[in-house]
């Protein structure tokens, strides 16, 4: 959700904070702010509504010199996104300055209690309440660290915080519960951040904080403890990605870069995990639960958003090839509806960020019920990755564009590998078929490259639809989740209303919407449902809808029906999701870009949703 960065060391902190905020901005971008301890040991703050660039352009840099500072880029939860509600926040006496991710659920109760003690509030935020609660405990203890600890013990909800204190100006105190935070351990400097992108250009050595832990950062290092005051010792881990991976590399937007990276990212997902001679897949991270997976009575896949669409593809794959009953659940529903879970169920959690609050809560729910948990995650060391019993990283590399693209195809790739692994073990697939499918996996990067190279063709079609107000996306079987994903991509970044449906469902309602203003995207590869899809296309055509078809290169027939064709190579049904979504990602991207929209930072969205 929001992004936090902090610096303590020997360098001037402002440029480091601003650079960090720019890298974190994909997490939230309603408003941004910084606080710095200057040479007179005063805390100076500057914050404003809008993007980090606005902050950077309007801050008086001469007044913000100092070697300790904290910064924040916000995605509003409490209070509208304006200058006042932007972070950092202070207590009423300006002793403490705080940036905060997450939600303090009992903030109203604490606010009332503090008001009775004559505390005064200037904002609508829960963060200001926390700053005053720290002040309240400081009055009693006269100790920064103790005051933060006592305040944190009292709050309910989630937090990742970084806090400065004017009375102890050589420290930053940071803490986490439910909102990620990590320390970058540099040479005589420590950088704290809610994710690695703000750390990687300073150091690759990091320490992840766990829930209920805090760190006191000083000029000579740091110490870790729990909020219950127990000391902690933790090994330093090494980040395994490069700075280049989080930069645009000549593309106009991260989203376009990430779409175009897919020939490589897909290969990174399967590299070393499949024997192409036998078709047998092996995922090291699943070995400890392999028996449970092979003997599962039921598989439940849970996720949110795009990852949920990948989960639907997984359901089709696992039932089709492994014959294990599989259900897909929105993580946000799963956690609240008292699901029936047994110890022989396997629950698969899919998450790009590994931090989505609902998916994390679903994971904890599943563990509580005794089910086996398996994560399919991108961000290494993220909370879900650390809390699942077993897991596989998709190795898509950092995904910065808020609209998920390469993570989706890599999630499907991971599900395909899991499917092949189970099917081979259970014997629900022939050896011939396994080798065939593996061959198709091997051919994928070249096929995707072919599509990336024809992006100008996709762009041309996109430009014919820039002014549309609605879209329908229709697909069958493995391509139904692709239709949902295509519609989600379009609405997220272009703000055009779009719906995805199973193609045959159209006549049960959505057909009423069809007229010559309604573009309908049909995912129509030459598979066993092709004739049915053609019938659906004819139904739309008869009502003068405008048809865009995703069709195979050798489908000559399709031009008789569709107004526009986005060509794709052939692939087996197992991998159809990966191939067929790519022109839809381009379609959404080029429509949004032509509308002049900020594709990487669509309004109201945040990259990882760490609040409920
Ligand atoms: C995708 O384009 C979205 N921005 C969103 O739906 C996302 O997939 C969802 O929030 C889940 O995120 P996660 O994969 O990080 O858990």
């Amino acid at each position: 959700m929001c992004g936090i960065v902090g610096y303590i060391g020997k360098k001037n902190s402002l440029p480091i904070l601003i650079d960090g905020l720019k890298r974190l901005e994909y997490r939230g971008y309603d408003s941004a702010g910084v606080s710095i301890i200057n040479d007179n040991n005063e805390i100076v703050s500057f914050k404003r509504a809008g993007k980090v660039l606005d902050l950077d352009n309007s801050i008086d840099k001469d007044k913000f010199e100092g070697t300790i500072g904290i910064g924040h880029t916000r995605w509003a939860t409490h209070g509208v996104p304006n200058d006042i509600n932007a972070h950092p926040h202070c207590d009423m006496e300006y002793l403490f300055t705080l940036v905060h991710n997450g939600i303090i659920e009992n903030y109203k109760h604490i606010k009332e209690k503090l008001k009775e003690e004559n505390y005064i509030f200037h904002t609508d935020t829960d963060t200001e309440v926390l700053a005053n609660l720290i002040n309240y405990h400081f009055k009693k203890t006269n100790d920064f660290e103790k005051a933060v600890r006592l305040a944190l013990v009292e709050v309910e909800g989630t937090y990742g915080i970084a806090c400065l204190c004017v009375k102890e100006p050589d420290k930053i105190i940071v803490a986490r519960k439910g909102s990620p935070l990590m320390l970058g351990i540099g040479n005589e400097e420590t950088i704290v951040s809610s994710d690695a992108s703000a750390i990687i250009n300073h150091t690759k050595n990091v320490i992840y904080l766990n829930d209920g832990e805090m760190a006191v950062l000083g000029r000579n290092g740091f110490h870790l403890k729990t909020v219950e005051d127990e000391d902690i010792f933790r090994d330093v881990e090494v980040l395994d990605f490069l700075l280049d991976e989080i930069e645009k590399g000549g593309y106009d937007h991260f989203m376009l870069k990430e779409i175009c990276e897919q020939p490589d990212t897909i290969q990174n997902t399967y590299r070393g995990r499949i024997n192409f001679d036998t078709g047998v897949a092996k995922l090291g991270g699943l070995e400890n639960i392999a028996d449970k997976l092979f003997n599962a009575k039921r598989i439940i896949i849970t996720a949110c958003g795009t990852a949920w669409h990948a989960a639907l593809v997984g359901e089709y794959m696992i039932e089709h090839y492994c014959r294990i009953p599989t259900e897909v659940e929105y993580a946000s529903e799963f956690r609240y509806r008292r699901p029936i879970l047994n110890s022989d169920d396997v629950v698969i959690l899919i998450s790009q960020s590994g931090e989505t609050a609902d998916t994390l809560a679903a994971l904890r729910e599943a563990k509580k019920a005794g089910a086996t948990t398996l994560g399919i995650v991108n961000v290494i060391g993220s909370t879900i990755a650390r809390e699942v019993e077993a897991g596989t990283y998709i190795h898509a590399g950092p995904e910065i564009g808020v609209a998920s693209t390469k993570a989706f195809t890599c999630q499907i790739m991971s599900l395909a590998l899991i499917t092949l692994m189970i099917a081979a073990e259970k014997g629900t697939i022939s050896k011939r078929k396994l080798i065939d499918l593996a061959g198709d996996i091997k051919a994928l990067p070249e096929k995707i490259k072919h599509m990336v190279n024809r992006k100008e063709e996709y762009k041309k079609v996109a430009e014919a639809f820039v002014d549309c107000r609605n879209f329908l996306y229709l697909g069958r079987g493995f391509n139904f989740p692709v239709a949902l994903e295509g519609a989600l991509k379009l609405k997220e970044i272009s703000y055009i209303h779009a719906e995805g449906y199973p193609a045959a469902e159209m006549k049960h309602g959505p057909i009423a919407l069809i007229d010559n203003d309604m573009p309908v995207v049909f995912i129509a590869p030459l598979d066993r449902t092709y004739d049915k899809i053609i019938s659906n296309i004819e139904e739309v055509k008869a009502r003068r809808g405008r048809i865009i078809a995703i069709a195979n290169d050798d489908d000559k027939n399709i031009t008789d029906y569709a107004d526009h064709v986005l060509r794709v190579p052939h692939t087996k049904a197992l991998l159809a999701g990966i191939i067929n979504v790519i022109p839809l990602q381009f379609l959404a991207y080029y429509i949004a870009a032509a509308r002049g929209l900020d594709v990487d930072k669509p309004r109201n969205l945040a990259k990882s949703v760490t609040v409920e």
Side-chain angles (χ1 to χ4, degrees):
M1 227 70 236
C2 315
I4 285 180
V5 62
Y7 176 84
I8 180 163
K10 296 203 156 152
K11 298 178 191 143
N12 187 20
S13 58
L14 183 66
I16 295 169
L17 298 178
I18 297 278
D19 178 67
L21 291 179
K22 284 181 181 162
R23 293 179 192 280
L24 291 172
E25 205 174 15
Y26 72 103
R27 298 179 66 94
Y29 32 78
D30 293 337
S31 54
V34 289
S35 291
I36 280 164
I37 300 194
N38 67 17
D39 294 343
N40 301 324
N41 285 339
E42 297 155 342
I43 299 177
V44 286
S45 299
F46 187 75
K47 55 187 192 171
R48 58 179 301 157
K51 302 216 162 124
V52 176
L53 191 62
D54 301 321
L55 178 88
D56 191 18
N57 288 338
S58 45
I59 192 165
D60 180 349
K61 299 202 166 66
D62 295 338
K63 288 193 187 146
F64 284 82
E65 287 206 357
T67 53
I68 300 181
I70 56 176
H72 190 264
T73 172
R74 178 171 186 246
W75 187 87
T77 55
H78 288 78
V80 292
N82 58 19
D83 291 358
I84 292 179
N85 288 335
H87 294 221
H89 286 285
C90 296
D91 61 301
M92 67 172 184
E93 294 177 312
Y94 299 94
L95 300 182
F96 300 94
T97 300
L98 183 68
V99 290
H100 166 222
N101 290 349
I103 297 176
I104 306 297
E105 284 165 4
N106 58 341
Y107 84 106
K108 282 197 178 132
H109 170 75
I110 295 171
K111 196 169 183 174
E112 286 317 308
K113 180 185 115 173
L114 292 174
K115 275 184 178 166
E116 282 167 20
E117 303 280 335
N118 300 321
Y119 278 78
I120 297 163
F121 295 87
H122 304 285
T123 76
D124 307 325
T125 66
D126 50 345
T127 307
E128 188 192 15
V129 174
L130 180 55
N132 279 296
L133 186 62
I134 295 172
N135 170 303
Y136 172 81
H137 286 290
F138 187 78
K139 290 258 166 66
K140 299 196 157 86
T141 59
N142 207 25
D143 180 320
F144 180 21
E145 185 186 317
K146 254 191 206 154
V148 172
R149 272 199 311 99
L150 293 172
L152 293 181
V153 168
E154 216 175 304
V155 299
E156 287 162 18
T158 55
Y159 55 77
I161 61 161
C163 185
L164 302 175
C165 172
V166 84
K167 299 276 190 190
E168 296 183 35
D170 279 334
K171 281 181 192 161
I172 304 178
I173 295 186
V174 302
R176 94 158 250 181
K177 184 180 161 204
S179 207
L181 217 53
M182 61 173 75
L183 308 181
I185 316 301
N187 187 11
E188 297 189 271
E189 61 184 13
T190 307
I191 303 105
V192 59
S193 179
S194 41
D195 80 51
S197 55
I199 291 181
I200 186 79
N201 53 337
H202 302 284
T203 176
K204 286 194 154 196
N205 297 329
V206 295
I207 286 182
Y208 295 96
L209 290 192
N210 289 330
D211 280 352
E213 294 179 353
M214 59 191 283
V216 182
L217 316 181
R219 293 208 179 268
N220 299 318
F222 60 91
H223 77 262
L224 297 179
K225 50 169 53 192
T226 65
V227 291
E228 267 85 33
D229 206 18
E230 291 149 7
D231 287 328
I232 302 167
F233 301 94
R234 168 112 4 102
D235 288 338
V236 171
E237 295 183 42
V238 179
L239 291 174
D240 77 339
F241 64 91
L242 303 169
L243 187 58
D244 289 4
E245 294 181 62
I246 53 166
E247 303 205 314
K248 276 194 214 147
Y251 288 91
D252 288 346
H253 295 99
F254 280 109
M255 182 180 176
L256 182 59
K257 176 183 176 234
E258 288 159 6
I259 296 172
C260 295
E261 277 171 0
Q262 291 175 106
D264 295 330
T265 55
I266 279 293
Q267 203 165 2
N268 291 342
T269 307
Y270 70 67
R271 181 175 288 117
R273 291 167 160 177
I274 184 161
N275 178 335
F276 291 107
D277 295 330
T278 60
V280 175
K282 193 164 183 248
L283 293 155
L286 306 192
E287 263 164 25
N288 61 328
I289 59 141
D291 281 346
K292 288 183 177 161
L293 188 58
F294 299 147
N295 296 311
K297 292 271 174 305
R298 188 171 63 135
I299 292 178
I300 296 156
I301 318 179
T302 183
C304 300
T306 286
W308 185 83
H309 297 154
L312 282 180
V313 178
E315 177 188 17
Y316 280 71
M317 283 179 181
I318 295 171
E319 294 208 337
H320 186 93
Y321 293 102
C322 312
R323 311 304 294 148
I324 300 176
T326 304
E327 290 163 27
V328 174
E329 295 263 5
Y330 283 111
S332 53
E333 292 296 317
F334 181 76
R335 59 183 293 195
Y336 288 117
R337 65 166 192 78
R338 293 184 66 220
I340 298 167
L341 286 168
N342 300 305
S343 55
D344 46 14
D345 290 335
V346 173
V347 178
I348 301 180
L349 298 298
I350 307 180
S351 175
Q352 186 286 129
S353 61
E355 302 291 349
T356 299
D358 286 324
T359 313
L360 181 58
L363 161 62
R364 291 175 178 162
E365 198 63 39
K367 281 174 93 169
K368 225 191 297 164
T372 300
T373 57
L374 186 173
I376 298 178
V377 171
N378 190 32
V379 177
I380 294 173
S382 55
T383 311
I384 293 174
R386 285 181 292 138
E387 290 195 13
V388 284
E389 280 173 76
T392 180
Y393 283 117
I394 63 173
H395 294 307
E399 191 180 66
I400 309 289
V402 166
S404 187
T405 51
K406 61 178 180 173
F408 177 69
T409 49
C410 293
Q411 286 158 353
I412 298 179
M413 187 71 247
S414 293
L415 287 159
L417 294 174
I418 293 172
T419 300
L420 294 188
M421 182 175 138
I422 303 173
E425 174 68 25
K426 289 178 78 83
T428 46
I429 188 169
S430 71
K431 292 204 163 105
R432 184 72 262 146
K433 184 89 189 156
L434 264 181
I435 296 170
D436 248 32
L437 289 170
D440 252 46
I441 289 177
K442 200 174 187 179
L444 267 180
E446 271 312 306
K447 291 182 182 174
I448 300 173
K449 208 177 277 170
H450 180 63
M451 289 191 284
V452 169
N453 289 340
R454 68 203 309 182
K455 59 180 178 300
E456 289 300 316
E457 278 174 41
Y458 302 146
K459 183 177 180 190
K460 237 195 214 144
V461 174
E463 283 168 354
F465 293 91
V466 172
D467 297 320
C468 290
R469 299 183 55 198
N470 297 288
F471 260 77
L472 262 186
Y473 286 70
L474 303 175
R476 282 172 177 260
F478 282 87
N479 288 309
F480 158 53
V482 176
L484 295 178
E485 177 60 8
L488 178 65
K489 284 293 85 84
L490 186 72
K491 55 189 154 193
E492 277 189 297
I493 58 169
S494 72
Y495 318 143
I496 294 172
H497 172 247
E499 296 292 338
Y501 268 92
E505 273 295 302
M506 179 189 63
K507 49 190 174 300
H508 299 287
I511 199 164
L513 298 169
I514 309 276
D515 61 17
N516 60 359
D517 276 339
M518 175 65 94
V520 185
V521 179
F522 279 95
I523 302 154
L526 288 164
D527 61 15
R528 62 194 179 92
T529 64
Y530 182 75
D531 291 341
K532 307 262 177 237
I533 281 277
I534 293 292
S535 309
N536 297 139
I537 292 178
E538 291 203 278
E539 287 155 11
V540 171
K541 223 174 147 53
R543 289 157 182 88
R544 299 172 58 224
R546 297 162 72 193
I547 291 152
I548 304 170
I550 310 296
N552 289 137
D553 284 314
D554 54 349
D555 179 357
K556 304 282 178 263
N557 180 43
I558 194 75
T559 43
D560 295 346
Y561 302 93
D563 301 296
H564 300 271
V565 182
L566 303 175
R567 294 285 179 180
V568 294
H570 264 291
T571 192
K572 305 249 175 350
L574 178 83
L575 306 173
I578 296 176
I579 290 287
N580 296 334
V581 80
I582 289 173
L584 301 184
Q585 295 171 343
F586 278 120
L587 185 69
Y589 171 77
Y590 284 121
I591 290 177
R595 285 162 79 101
L597 297 169
D598 192 348
V599 174
D600 286 331
K601 299 187 201 99
R603 71 182 178 210
N604 304 336
L605 293 178
K607 182 66 183 164
S608 58
V609 183
T610 52
V611 294
E612 287 176 37

